[in-house]
């Protein structure tokens, strides 16, 4: 028999699978009654197994009208979001290079797209001030996100 955490995770994943929206709204008490566990065990599973790094967004409200909303977020979206955050601080050229390399290695962009972004980034680091460079780099990464191979 699986442990309680596995049972809670399986229950939530099953409920998610039934929803075409990729999002489910449930109540802790309902899960606790169905699985015969404490609400704190549900909180533990949510905080360890349904994290943004694993592709989930969790919103929780306590109280009488309380609920837990769990949504699956495509990993692609999370990756680009994190990259765009890094670009805010005008990163070093090497950081941009490693971000492009990551996208290429994970087949999120083509070799051609990687080459174009790197050529644009190299020119931006040579000829632009920080504010304009950040604007250009963010535009490039937003374009990749919206028109990339999977998009």
């Amino acid at each position: 028999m699986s442990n309680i955490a596995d049972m809670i995770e399986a229950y939530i994943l099953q409920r998610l699978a039934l929803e075409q929206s990729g999002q489910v709204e449930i109540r802790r008490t309902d899960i606790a009654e169905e699985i015969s566990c404490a609400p704190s065990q549900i909180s533990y599973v949510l905080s360890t197994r349904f994290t943004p790094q694993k592709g989930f967004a969790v919103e929780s409200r306590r109280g009488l009208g309380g609920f837990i909303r769990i949504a699956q977020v495509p990993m692609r979206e999370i990756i680009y979001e994190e990259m765009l955050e890094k670009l805010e601080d005008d990163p070093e050229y090497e950081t941009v290079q490693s971000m492009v390399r990551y996208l290429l290695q994970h087949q999120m962009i083509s070799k051609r797209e990687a080459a174009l972004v790197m050529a644009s980034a190299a020119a931006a680091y040579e000829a632009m001030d920080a504010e304009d460079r950040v604007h250009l780099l963010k535009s490039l990464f937003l374009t990749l996100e919206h028109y990339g191979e999977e998009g």
Side-chain angles (χ1 to χ4, degrees):
M1 174 102 156
S2 302
N3 70 35
I4 291 290
D6 291 338
M7 291 171 60
I8 295 167
E9 180 183 23
Y11 176 86
I12 293 171
L13 289 173
Q14 180 181 23
R15 292 283 308 270
L16 264 170
L18 295 174
E19 296 294 326
Q20 290 192 355
S21 65
Q23 175 176 301
V24 68
E25 203 169 285
I26 49 182
R27 293 182 31 189
R28 268 187 187 79
T29 54
D30 294 343
I31 299 172
E33 287 174 12
E34 178 123 359
I35 298 178
S36 299
C37 67
S40 62
Q41 291 171 304
I42 297 163
S43 298
Y44 169 78
V45 170
L46 291 171
S47 66
T48 59
R49 299 187 185 193
F50 292 88
T51 64
Q53 295 79 11
K54 294 181 180 179
F56 296 95
V58 177
E59 179 184 350
S60 179
R61 294 230 174 103
R62 295 185 184 267
L64 290 176
F67 64 88
I68 303 164
R69 183 177 298 129
I70 304 165
Q72 287 183 294
V73 180
M75 290 305 290
R76 174 185 181 85
E77 190 176 305
I78 293 170
I79 291 166
Y80 275 108
E81 210 172 273
E82 289 177 359
M83 287 183 177
L84 288 167
E85 283 177 26
K86 285 181 184 175
L87 292 173
E88 286 288 334
D89 300 324
D90 188 30
E92 297 291 323
Y93 176 77
E94 291 74 21
T95 301
V96 174
Q97 207 172 22
S98 80
M99 289 167 35
V100 171
R101 194 175 309 117
Y102 177 90
L103 294 172
L104 184 60
Q105 287 172 343
H106 290 87
Q107 299 172 347
M108 295 174 71
I109 61 173
S110 67
K111 287 181 184 179
R112 185 179 200 174
E113 290 167 332
L116 287 169
V117 170
M118 289 316 303
S120 299
Y125 277 92
E126 277 183 34
M128 295 179 149
D129 64 37
E131 186 178 338
D132 290 339
R133 181 171 49 245
V134 166
H135 181 73
L136 173 70
L137 291 171
K138 285 176 72 175
S139 294
L140 288 168
F141 278 81
L142 282 168
T143 301
L144 290 174
E145 178 182 13
H146 295 292
Y147 299 104
E149 289 183 349
E150 291 180 15

